[in-house]
Amino acid sequence: MRREPGQLFLLTTQGCKVNQYESQAIREALVADGLMETHDPSLADIVLINSCAVTERAVLDLAKLIRGFAATDPKPWIVVAGCAVEADRERILALCLVDEVIAQKDKATLVRMGEPSAPFPALSISGYNRARGVIKVQDGCSHGCTYCIIPSTRGRSVSRPVAEIIGEARRLLEAGIREISLCGINLRHYGRDLPGTTDFWDLLAEVDQALSPRWAGRARLRLGSLEPGDLSAKALSTLAQSRLMTPHLHISLQSGSPEVLRRMGRGHYGLEQIFAFLHDLRDIWPVFGLGADLIAGFPGETQSHADETLEVVKRLPLSYAHVFPYSERPGTPAALFKGAVPGHIRRERAKALRREVARKRADFLHELLKLPYMDVILEEGGTGMNEFYVECSISDAPPQARELLRVIPTGLTSSGLQAKIPDTQREKT
């Protein structure tokens, strides 16, 4: 990508937290090269879109973004990077509005670090523009769910060395970040390509052991989406010993029907395994937030299958969920499956799941109101995230506070909880 000191760039990110991390690494590299960031398209010399291809909707949204930036006068140099370039290069180029495309595997060239063919992409960060940051510990996926395009856009699973992760975590904490999410495309595959027998839970234990002597009680760790098959006795033991972990997990469930899971290529875990794990987790975390990903209307899903998923959702102690009507993704096996569910039925089933999740979330928020206190990392505008992954609005928030604040829940808001800072805590802020 052409770049000159003094140029203004606008960087916009689609998709997952891994993309957010990569965008931050690119941002830092461009600023180090003498470029300046703007959020005004009319001022930008360069517009860089870090794209997503996980759904067809993401690609349609990308096309809309491109057209909007191209309509700016004067038109900036438009660069599209990432997964959508791998999956839909010809569709992107066919718009005739993009000046440059950079594939996901070549994204490291944007930061001028190492070779694009290195085992783990040479991306790193030293800060974040908010109090909560992300560290990418793993990339790619070697599993191959039948609905997912990611293995063909990001390649096979690769793991980042433990020492690099700990070093980056220390830099972020020193820079004022007070919550770090360890994220990847498939955390269950972490360590399979590294020497020895290290897995993701070994990584978490090492990170916690390295950071907790200084940062326990002052900062915290959060995990990205977990595969249900990774919810093991070792996971429970690791979480029980951690001094930095937040009481919150997010699981990539996708369906509550064993037959649908099999068709998705996700028959490697059982639903009872999840229930047993969560039951035992109560002994470690009496209160915890739980999120899940769910797909409604997968090919071949009958009403009976949909009812199975709804019943599983009713049994799970969910505090939120991301529910998606199934969307055909060209290039995936599932796009060719027979038994397509009509679009309006997909949407109806997704609506039913969201309705049940909303009920469970309301119950969860009312339970949190009974707690004597919560720990919140305050960000701009007097809002922050508590340990259970619930947004909190602090009515008497100090103008600037990135540290962990102990607050008292006082009521509900449209997006989460209202809270206040006790007098003893206010004296320290």
Side-chain angles (χ1 to χ4, degrees):
M1 184 181 77
R2 65 179 193 179
R3 62 182 90 176
E4 298 293 338
Q7 286 181 316
L8 293 173
F9 72 92
L10 186 151
L11 177 57
T12 187
T13 307
Q14 291 184 296
C16 63
K17 289 184 177 179
V18 171
N19 253 12
Q20 294 172 23
Y21 171 90
E22 293 171 349
S23 286
Q24 178 64 20
I26 293 167
R27 175 181 290 109
E28 291 185 14
L30 295 180
V31 170
D33 277 353
L35 282 73
M36 297 176 288
E37 186 171 14
T38 180
H39 300 289
D40 186 345
S42 67
L43 299 178
D45 300 298
I46 300 169
V47 167
L48 174 59
I49 305 173
N50 192 3
S51 67
C52 174
V54 70
T55 65
E56 179 68 9
R57 179 76 257 171
V59 179
L60 295 176
D61 289 344
L62 171 62
K64 184 177 179 180
L65 276 174
I66 293 170
R67 293 189 185 97
F69 288 129
T72 305
D73 186 19
K75 176 184 174 297
W77 183 265
I78 298 177
V79 182
V80 178
C83 291
V85 176
E86 298 281 0
D88 290 285
R89 178 187 292 262
E90 297 308 316
R91 286 172 64 185
I92 294 169
L93 293 176
L95 293 173
C96 299
L97 301 170
V98 176
D99 298 291
E100 190 175 352
V101 294
I102 298 173
Q104 176 62 34
K105 62 183 177 62
D106 297 326
K107 198 181 284 184
T109 61
L110 286 169
V111 300
R112 295 179 175 173
M113 296 173 61
E115 297 296 326
S117 59
F120 194 86
L123 300 170
S124 65
I125 63 175
S126 59
Y128 237 80
N129 55 3
R130 56 191 303 178
R132 297 184 293 124
V134 175
I135 292 180
K136 184 174 77 169
V137 304
Q138 180 273 340
D139 202 352
C141 183
S142 302
H143 183 70
C145 296
T146 59
Y147 57 82
C148 187
I149 195 72
I150 296 302
S152 63
T153 61
R154 285 186 173 267
R156 295 183 62 81
S157 175
V158 290
S159 307
R160 192 175 186 185
V162 175
E164 287 186 18
I165 295 167
I166 292 173
E168 187 162 87
R170 285 196 169 112
R171 290 197 301 274
L172 295 185
L173 292 168
E174 293 290 350
I177 306 304
R178 291 297 175 260
E179 178 179 298
I180 295 173
S181 292
L182 303 180
C183 294
I185 301 301
N186 189 333
L187 295 177
R188 183 168 178 256
H189 289 174
Y190 181 85
R192 294 184 180 184
D193 56 321
L194 296 178
T197 58
T198 299
D199 64 12
F200 178 72
W201 300 113
D202 295 321
L203 167 66
L204 177 59
E206 289 199 49
V207 172
D208 194 277
Q209 184 178 17
L211 302 179
S212 60
R214 179 177 179 186
W215 295 102
R218 298 177 55 201
R220 62 195 186 195
L221 296 174
R222 201 181 292 276
L223 304 184
S225 183
L226 295 171
E227 282 288 306
D230 215 16
L231 304 179
S232 61
K234 184 175 184 178
L236 286 170
S237 175
T238 305
L239 294 174
Q241 295 175 49
S242 172
R243 297 175 60 195
L244 293 173
M245 266 296 300
T246 55
H248 161 247
L249 297 177
H250 186 100
I251 57 176
S252 182
L253 179 60
Q254 309 305 358
S255 177
S257 165
E259 173 59 23
V260 173
L261 288 172
R262 184 189 65 79
R263 289 174 61 80
M264 287 179 167
R266 297 180 63 79
H268 55 284
Y269 55 86
L271 297 170
E272 291 305 319
Q273 171 189 354
I274 300 173
F275 292 124
F277 176 89
L278 295 174
H279 176 272
D280 293 341
L281 187 61
R282 289 284 184 203
D283 294 333
I284 300 169
W285 297 337
V287 181
F288 60 86
L290 179 67
D293 297 317
L294 295 164
I295 297 174
F298 189 75
E301 182 188 80
T302 64
Q303 186 58 50
S304 177
H305 295 146
D307 291 342
E308 286 181 301
T309 298
L310 186 58
E311 286 303 311
V312 167
V313 168
K314 290 178 178 178
R315 289 181 62 188
L316 288 172
L318 291 171
S319 54
Y320 69 96
H322 301 149
V323 182
F324 305 94
Y326 171 73
S327 172
E328 286 85 357
R329 191 65 184 90
T332 62
L336 303 177
F337 284 0
K338 296 180 180 179
V341 177
H344 71 281
I345 294 179
R346 301 180 203 182
R347 292 188 291 274
E348 288 173 3
R349 291 175 182 173
K351 185 177 180 180
L353 292 172
R354 292 190 187 111
R355 187 163 50 242
E356 179 59 27
V357 170
R359 184 188 68 78
K360 298 182 79 69
R361 178 171 176 79
D363 291 343
F364 180 71
L365 293 179
H366 279 94
E367 286 299 311
L368 294 188
L369 285 176
K370 301 175 185 177
L371 296 178
Y373 62 85
M374 305 176 299
D375 290 324
V376 172
I377 294 178
L378 191 67
E379 301 201 56
E380 294 181 2
T383 62
M385 194 69 69
N386 73 6
E387 63 266 49
F388 309 109
Y389 203 62
V390 173
E391 183 179 288
C392 296
S393 177
I394 315 299
S395 56
D396 51 355
Q400 293 181 337
R402 278 190 154 191
E403 301 298 318
L404 273 170
L405 296 178
R406 182 148 288 183
V407 301
I408 302 171
T410 58
L412 301 177
T413 67
S414 59
S415 58
L417 294 173
Q418 181 74 40
K420 67 176 184 179
I421 302 173
D423 293 339
T424 54
Q425 179 76 23
R426 191 193 320 280
E427 294 171 1
K428 301 176 183 179
T429 59

